[in-house]
Amino acid sequence: MLVGYNTNISYKEHVYHVQTEDSGQQNPVIVSLIYSQGAIIASRKTNYAHVAFDPDFREKVTKLMKTQHKWMIRELLAGKFTGDYQGAVEEVKAVEEVKAVEEVKAVEEVKAVEEVKAVEKVKAVEEVREAQETSEDSTSPRKDEEQHLPSSQSLDVRAKHQLSKSLDDILLNYIMKRDKQ
């Protein structure tokens, strides 16, 4: 049996007592109770038989107890056990709606930025392709040269011309074309 939690909570001019305790390995249940003026107004039980005989069961059960105790306090302060729950639910929904709207706006902003970047990338790729085409036009073999060669030699000539083009030539053509615009 592990040591439990006891917390007094003041809420709307009342003092509530939240108690969470372990029933022990022989009866692996965590029990949380909320008292108001000595009367139990809420309870919650959690079975932990699935971890009761684990080597580190003490840490696991302690964590379960702490989580359940906090949950009971959170629900108490939300008004669930005091009759104020509907108002609290509406407040939470309003806050969640605001957060959802903000998240949608953020997602839309990210999409807009991504679209702009995509358009810029497409333009850059098109400019590079145009620069490559300009470079190929100036360095590619003429059709009349290829006509006099057998087809296998024609491919070799094209391959050699493509290899002879340097990246510097392509970039230089790209920069020159871009500067003209």
Side-chain angles (χ1 to χ4, degrees):
M1 182 183 274
L2 299 175
V3 176
Y5 297 96
N6 288 287
T7 307
N8 289 326
I9 302 290
S10 295
Y11 176 72
K12 300 236 178 176
E13 300 180 17
H14 286 89
V15 176
Y16 298 90
H17 180 76
V18 182
Q19 177 182 0
T20 301
E21 57 187 21
D22 170 31
S23 299
Q25 279 183 302
Q26 301 306 320
N27 183 22
V29 176
I30 297 169
V31 179
S32 292
L33 304 169
I34 297 179
Y35 295 91
S36 175
Q37 299 176 349
I40 297 172
I41 62 168
S43 66
R44 179 178 178 128
K45 293 181 181 182
T46 302
N47 186 312
Y48 66 88
H50 60 286
V51 297
F53 297 100
D54 286 0
D56 59 345
F57 91 95
R58 288 186 178 278
E59 292 82 19
K60 290 179 180 178
V61 173
T62 300
K63 186 175 180 179
L64 287 170
M65 288 173 59
K66 191 174 187 178
T67 301
Q68 182 167 305
H69 192 75
K70 286 181 177 181
W71 181 88
M72 293 294 282
I73 293 171
R74 199 174 308 120
E75 293 294 301
L76 173 67
L77 295 175
K80 184 171 184 177
F81 308 120
T82 62
D84 299 331
Y85 190 61
Q86 189 57 39
V89 167
E90 290 171 9
E91 287 177 29
V92 168
K93 284 182 181 178
V95 169
E96 288 175 352
E97 286 176 16
V98 169
K99 287 181 180 177
V101 168
E102 290 172 354
E103 287 176 10
V104 167
K105 286 180 181 177
V107 167
E108 288 173 353
E109 288 175 8
V110 167
K111 284 182 181 179
V113 168
E114 288 174 353
E115 286 176 12
V116 168
K117 287 180 179 178
V119 168
E120 290 173 353
K121 284 180 183 178
V122 168
K123 286 180 181 178
V125 167
E126 288 173 353
E127 290 175 358
V128 169
R129 283 185 182 153
E130 288 176 12
Q132 287 175 337
E133 288 172 2
T134 304
S135 175
E136 287 173 5
D137 290 345
S138 64
T139 60
S140 62
R142 293 191 317 247
K143 294 271 185 198
D144 59 342
E145 288 178 358
E146 291 180 15
Q147 289 175 351
H148 301 295
L149 299 172
S151 62
S152 63
Q153 288 180 344
S154 176
L155 290 174
D156 288 341
V157 169
R158 276 191 235 132
K160 286 179 184 175
H161 280 290
Q162 286 178 343
L163 289 175
S164 68
K165 288 188 299 185
S166 70
L167 183 58
D168 293 335
D169 292 336
I170 294 171
L171 289 174
L172 182 60
N173 286 337
Y174 168 75
I175 291 168
M176 289 172 59
K177 186 174 182 177
R178 195 168 112 195
D179 288 344
K180 287 179 184 177
Q181 296 174 353

